[in-house]
Amino acid sequence: MAIYETKSLAKQSFFQKIFKIFPKSDYIIELQNLLAQNENNLLLMSPQDVKNLKSKYKVKDSDFVLDREVLLDKYISACFWDNHLSDDEKIWLSHLCHLLELDDEYLSRRIQEEGELIYRNKVRYVIADNKITDSEREELNELRGELNLSDSNGRDIYSDECKKKIQSYVDMLITKRRMSPDEEKTLDDMVAGLNINARFTDDGLQKLRRFWDIENADLPVLESPVNLQKAEFLYYSAKIAWYEERTRTTYISYSGLTYTFRITKGLSLRAGNIAPSRNTEEYMKLIDSGDAYFANKRIIFVGKNGNKIIPLSKILFITPFSNGVEIGKDSGKKPFFECSDSELMGLYLARMLKDFQNV
């Protein structure tokens, strides 16, 4: 497959033909055409060939730098088609770099980047099944040598790709906000199979495990500090602030214009609408604060100002918010429990209501 495509030069305008002016943009096209003619043996091209083109199109050293880099990049990619860079290819690339008047540093960097890309893609292919075998590791070592990558560079790329793969799986669990035992085993097997030291915040994973358990496993019974009914068990408790929605009315006195007019000497009448207007608004009123105990039959609240009971049979719905949970009942006010972990409280309530309705 050809590396460079031969293109037609732009047509000269009438005045360009008269004054023998060549479109400057044709320089890079003619340079590419010259490379296309000699791509099988670049050593046939000499720096003088390029200088002649620069003179013809009056091109400065600072012109078309990006275009020249693209021409070099195409040849680099072609040399790496077999995941290997031979000694001959290194000579041709060095010669091409000088022909295009580019820095040796640019060539070295691009060869390094191309090799890293090939190695990275190979690593992704190898770890697609979440493990690496001894033969696959040896295969990677051989490829790293052929690409002239250092041991540390190879290890860094392997570690980076493994961590990305593991992190992607963890991100999926975080999005779900759950981690089942099977998913936990998959994660453990992935870390072990890839033979990488991956550290996670255990508190975060522990919370995902707990969320799954709340929804699917048997809830552990807690020792209750309050008296419970027969066959009643405590599953969760939390410190809360109990709020309820209230309506209040404010009055606004008339503040518009008034006027007076004289009736007779020494007596005048003042006129104007002075009836107050009424404004009604809703707000959340703090009723009490204390401890809420969630049992399989009731929610028991022990507050500073008194105690309250909400039977689960009276709850129609729950609405979690970022700072608490609203409890909709079949009658009366809808209390809002402000708490430190509304997600956890909402899960426990949902599970207990589900179990209660299935009894």
Side-chain angles (χ1 to χ4, degrees), residues 27 88 343:
Y27 164 74
D88 287 340
E343 188 175 18

PDB file of all heavy atoms in Angstrom, residues 27 88 343:
ATOM      1  N   TYR A  27       4.037  23.910  -2.952  1.00  0.00           N
ATOM      2  CA  TYR A  27       5.322  23.403  -2.478  1.00  0.00           C
ATOM      3  C   TYR A  27       5.139  22.061  -1.753  1.00  0.00           C
ATOM      4  O   TYR A  27       5.836  21.084  -2.043  1.00  0.00           O
ATOM      5  CB  TYR A  27       5.987  24.399  -1.537  1.00  0.00           C
ATOM      6  CG  TYR A  27       7.105  23.806  -0.713  1.00  0.00           C
ATOM      7  CD1 TYR A  27       8.337  23.502  -1.284  1.00  0.00           C
ATOM      8  CD2 TYR A  27       6.925  23.522   0.642  1.00  0.00           C
ATOM      9  CE1 TYR A  27       9.355  22.926  -0.541  1.00  0.00           C
ATOM     10  CE2 TYR A  27       7.935  22.952   1.398  1.00  0.00           C
ATOM     11  CZ  TYR A  27       9.146  22.657   0.800  1.00  0.00           C
ATOM     12  OH  TYR A  27      10.154  22.087   1.540  1.00  0.00           O
ATOM     13  N   ASP A  88      17.233  -0.758   8.902  1.00  0.00           N
ATOM     14  CA  ASP A  88      17.085  -0.038   7.637  1.00  0.00           C
ATOM     15  C   ASP A  88      16.024   1.052   7.750  1.00  0.00           C
ATOM     16  O   ASP A  88      16.208   2.174   7.251  1.00  0.00           O
ATOM     17  CB  ASP A  88      16.710  -1.005   6.505  1.00  0.00           C
ATOM     18  CG  ASP A  88      17.883  -1.880   6.089  1.00  0.00           C
ATOM     19  OD1 ASP A  88      19.044  -1.499   6.373  1.00  0.00           O
ATOM     20  OD2 ASP A  88      17.651  -2.940   5.476  1.00  0.00           O
ATOM     21  N   GLU A 343     -29.598   8.527  51.914  1.00  0.00           N
ATOM     22  CA  GLU A 343     -29.623   7.365  51.024  1.00  0.00           C
ATOM     23  C   GLU A 343     -29.762   6.083  51.824  1.00  0.00           C
ATOM     24  O   GLU A 343     -30.565   5.202  51.478  1.00  0.00           O
ATOM     25  CB  GLU A 343     -28.356   7.336  50.174  1.00  0.00           C
ATOM     26  CG  GLU A 343     -28.365   6.286  49.081  1.00  0.00           C
ATOM     27  CD  GLU A 343     -27.149   6.357  48.177  1.00  0.00           C
ATOM     28  OE1 GLU A 343     -26.137   6.977  48.591  1.00  0.00           O
ATOM     29  OE2 GLU A 343     -27.200   5.789  47.064  1.00  0.00           O
TER      30      GLU A 343
END
